[in-house]
Amino acid sequence: GNFVLPISSYIYDYYSKFNIGQMILPILADVGEFDHISKEYSDIKRFIFPANGKMKDSLNDMLAAINDLLAEYDLNAEFHFCGIDKAEIYRNCNDDVISKIIVHEWMKYDELIDLYKKMDFLLLARKECQMTMANFPSKIPEAMTYGVIPVASIVGDYTKYYLKDNVNSILFYGHDRKEISKAILRAYNLSSKEKDKMSKEAFNMVKTRLDYNNWDATLRGFLEK
């Protein structure tokens, strides 16, 4: 009994050529893993980009977009980056922008979770390529578990099946710095009420659709078959 559990329909389509049992199993979260506190919002809007390993996504485009925005608007915002080299920031941003960017050194998982609890938005710009279409980034369900709202490029299964623009996320096309700037601004300009609603929707989507408990029966059924 050969079988595979691809994380995306892109990979599923590839394996469909072979006579092999498969079921798409997206990246799941455990909403019961940590206590849920209702989010405490401050006047500062906080964006996070957690890089992990090699996947740097469109880091330079995101930095350029932040740089453009802060040159034009006086935003009461912080941009948190995890797992990237500070030199990247200095290369892409003006001095006055650097003060609004916070780079976190390598963090333990529970430290990252504590950080998520304080964040409003997750920034994830990606270009469309084989790798991003096949991928289902774990940071999406992970952050949404803590009510963090994704501001993300439309690419792959997570934006096709799980994220809905203006409902539980802010979505945009491509990874162009202008598009990223517009999306950040859209997120920034949400009223507290809109942001609160979107944050709850983000959490509910994970709870009802990407929590591993919901996949128990499906997975068991597949494996027994």
Side-chain angles (χ1 to χ4, degrees):
N2 275 355
F3 64 87
V4 287
L5 295 168
I7 59 169
S8 65
S9 48
Y10 188 85
I11 300 173
Y12 180 93
D13 292 344
Y14 170 79
Y15 278 109
S16 297
K17 299 194 281 276
F18 310 103
N19 185 15
I20 194 166
Q22 53 171 350
M23 179 187 106
I24 296 175
L25 188 68
I27 298 291
L28 303 176
D30 178 2
V31 298
E33 187 180 14
F34 288 90
D35 293 343
H36 285 277
I37 43 168
S38 50
K39 289 187 87 67
E40 290 169 40
Y41 291 123
S42 71
D43 294 342
I44 303 170
K45 308 280 171 77
R46 295 190 170 96
F47 292 78
I48 185 169
F49 171 70
N52 50 1
K54 303 248 179 324
M55 266 308 239
K56 289 292 182 270
D57 301 288
S58 298
L59 179 63
N60 291 346
D61 301 306
M62 288 188 266
L63 288 170
I66 291 166
N67 197 52
D68 294 349
L69 266 182
L70 294 177
E72 201 174 332
Y73 302 98
D74 182 23
L75 299 186
N76 190 9
E78 287 174 359
F79 296 89
H80 293 251
F81 286 82
C82 308
I84 68 163
D85 185 6
K86 281 191 171 138
E88 301 265 4
I89 309 275
Y90 296 123
R91 255 204 305 280
N92 287 280
C93 298
N94 303 331
D95 289 350
D96 52 336
V97 171
I98 289 166
S99 64
K100 299 211 171 186
I101 293 179
I102 297 157
V103 178
H104 299 271
E105 303 298 323
W106 190 86
M107 301 171 98
K108 290 207 208 82
Y109 183 64
D110 52 352
E111 292 171 329
L112 178 65
I113 298 305
D114 284 340
L115 189 61
Y116 277 145
K117 288 176 180 174
K118 300 183 184 89
M119 295 295 127
D120 301 293
F121 303 100
L122 171 85
L123 190 58
L124 188 59
R126 298 186 133 183
K127 56 174 174 281
E128 192 168 71
C129 62
Q130 204 171 353
M131 187 152 104
T132 54
M133 277 155 57
N135 182 253
F136 194 113
S138 57
K139 50 192 142 190
I140 292 269
E142 196 173 72
M144 291 173 92
T145 298
Y146 301 96
V148 182
I149 301 161
V151 178
S153 304
I154 294 171
V155 57
D157 280 9
Y158 56 100
T159 54
K160 191 169 169 185
Y161 300 119
Y162 300 102
L163 300 189
K164 282 203 174 72
D165 189 32
N166 278 336
V167 175
N168 58 21
S169 56
I170 301 257
L171 301 181
F172 57 96
Y173 284 101
H175 60 103
D176 176 76
R177 63 201 279 179
K178 278 200 187 67
E179 293 307 314
I180 301 169
S181 297
K182 280 196 295 208
I184 293 173
L185 213 48
R186 262 174 70 199
Y188 182 84
N189 287 328
L190 290 172
S191 69
S192 303
K193 201 172 157 190
E194 290 167 326
K195 184 155 66 83
D196 209 27
K197 188 165 184 251
M198 218 179 258
S199 169
K200 287 194 175 78
E201 290 282 355
F203 169 72
N204 284 334
M205 189 285 293
V206 175
K207 188 179 172 184
T208 56
R209 300 192 56 205
L210 290 177
D211 182 63
Y212 78 98
N213 291 303
N214 305 327
W215 286 76
D216 228 16
T218 316
L219 188 56
R220 196 172 296 127
F222 172 77
L223 294 176
E224 284 167 0
K225 199 167 74 200

